[in-house]
Amino acid sequence: MSFEGETFQFDDETAITSTGPNADGDHQWDTHLTSNWNIGENPNGGYLSAALVRAMASLESTHPDPLTVTTHYLRPGASATDGIVSVEPIRTGRTLSTLRGRLDQGGKTRIETLAAFTDLSQAEDRLDLSLAPVDLPDPDDCVDRNSLDQGVDISLLSRVEMRVDPKMAVAGEGERAEIHGWIRFSDGRPPDAQSLILFSDAFPPPLFNMLGNIGWVPTIELTVHIRRQPVAGWIRGKFVVQDVAGNRMIEDGTLWDESGAIVARSRQVGLILTPEA
């Protein structure tokens, strides 16, 4: 995507090149994942799915916007490595299109995604029922995530700016497993529906606030519901964990744009891997 002739990092680093149908008749593209969106040694889950969602959107001229995207992470992605994106259109209706896709690297499937696309500009507000934005200090009064003690290198922070509520910026000092903050692209790229999938998986794990640096929390499954196209500016986020059993947790997230409107809701199942594991 480009805005007034300018191309941005997220779009350059999720680029896809069509290679025609594969042996199964699915649409297929080549892509290349960089290490610029890593958390530790692995690509962020939202970034890992970005080229696949972009390929799905390219097939939907009448339904260009993701509405619901569910991704299962079968194994970690490989950074600085080529990949193959395959997409199978399942059904195209009057208001929705449904597609299935996967990303392969090194001969192994890394993720599988089922998604519904629509035209968000055609939605009608027949009922106004919404959550008020979480109360947050202005971004300049929040804590840059780069300054947090997180126990891992996060190259993702070279691509996005993230500010965390000062009350939740010190590992292990919070009473709840909850994280509030702001996020935007560092190169000025405006947010859009596809970028909300990345933003839904980019904040620190809410357990960081209550338990400290517990280790790696890889995503098993992530579902993002896109509610509307965001306006330009910062995206405000709230992420909460209220359910931990064994070494698995369920996280619920909400994103608002600068107008105060909800732009995405998310839920993910994550695996808690302590440093010892």
Side-chain angles (χ1 to χ4, degrees):
M1 179 180 294
S2 63
F3 299 85
E4 298 181 356
E6 186 175 0
T7 302
F8 296 97
Q9 294 164 338
F10 181 65
D11 307 294
D12 279 346
E13 295 171 348
T14 60
I16 52 175
T17 302
S18 176
T19 57
N22 61 18
D24 296 324
D26 298 340
H27 299 269
Q28 192 164 282
W29 296 260
D30 287 339
T31 191
H32 180 82
L33 298 185
T34 79
S35 60
N36 296 322
W37 304 81
N38 278 19
I39 296 179
E41 297 180 355
N42 302 113
N44 164 266
Y47 172 64
L48 194 63
S49 68
L52 176 50
V53 174
R54 184 172 183 175
M56 290 176 165
S58 73
L59 297 177
E60 295 301 325
S61 58
T62 58
H63 302 142
D65 305 312
L67 176 65
T68 174
V69 178
T70 296
T71 300
H72 286 260
Y73 294 83
L74 309 181
R75 51 180 57 86
S79 60
T81 302
D82 292 337
I84 298 173
V85 169
S86 304
V87 175
E88 173 195 3
I90 297 175
R91 181 182 183 274
T92 299
R94 184 174 60 85
T95 60
L96 291 174
S97 294
T98 304
L99 308 98
R100 180 187 295 116
R102 69 179 188 272
L103 169 69
D104 295 335
Q105 290 180 297
K108 296 180 179 180
T109 300
R110 307 291 171 160
I111 62 173
E112 291 200 355
T113 295
L114 185 66
F117 280 70
T118 190
D119 185 348
L120 291 173
S121 68
Q122 301 301 311
E124 297 181 15
D125 287 330
R126 298 181 179 179
L127 179 66
D128 185 10
L129 179 63
S130 185
L131 289 173
V134 63
D135 187 28
L136 266 175
D138 290 340
D140 288 344
D141 296 322
C142 289
V143 179
D144 192 319
R145 187 180 175 183
N146 269 310
S147 67
L148 269 59
D149 176 17
Q150 297 165 96
V152 65
D153 292 330
I154 304 177
S155 60
L156 170 74
L157 297 179
S158 70
R159 293 298 186 254
V160 300
E161 293 182 64
M162 197 178 307
R163 309 289 170 80
V164 176
D165 188 326
K167 299 189 298 293
M168 302 173 177
V170 180
E173 292 195 356
E175 296 180 354
R176 298 176 304 219
E178 198 162 317
I179 285 287
H180 307 162
W182 302 91
I183 191 170
R184 67 181 179 182
F185 288 109
S186 58
D187 62 357
R189 183 192 191 277
D192 61 2
Q194 292 186 38
S195 65
L196 297 175
I197 301 167
L198 171 76
F199 292 166
S200 293
D201 193 42
F203 281 76
L207 291 172
F208 166 90
N209 182 38
M210 186 172 71
L211 301 178
N213 293 322
I214 58 174
W216 186 33
V217 187
T219 303
I220 298 171
E221 179 266 329
L222 170 65
T223 294
V224 181
H225 297 146
I226 310 300
R227 308 302 297 128
R228 50 183 57 83
Q229 287 282 3
V231 302
W234 286 95
I235 298 294
R236 181 191 313 232
K238 175 183 178 180
F239 295 85
V240 181
V241 169
Q242 296 174 310
D243 180 1
V244 178
N247 63 337
R248 291 173 290 276
M249 62 93 187
I250 294 178
E251 173 190 298
D252 293 294
T254 307
L255 298 176
W256 295 263
D257 66 9
E258 285 203 0
S259 77
I262 290 179
V263 290
R265 305 292 299 275
S266 65
R267 170 167 279 200
Q268 70 168 282
V269 181
L271 186 65
I272 302 170
L273 297 179
T274 64
E276 293 77 13

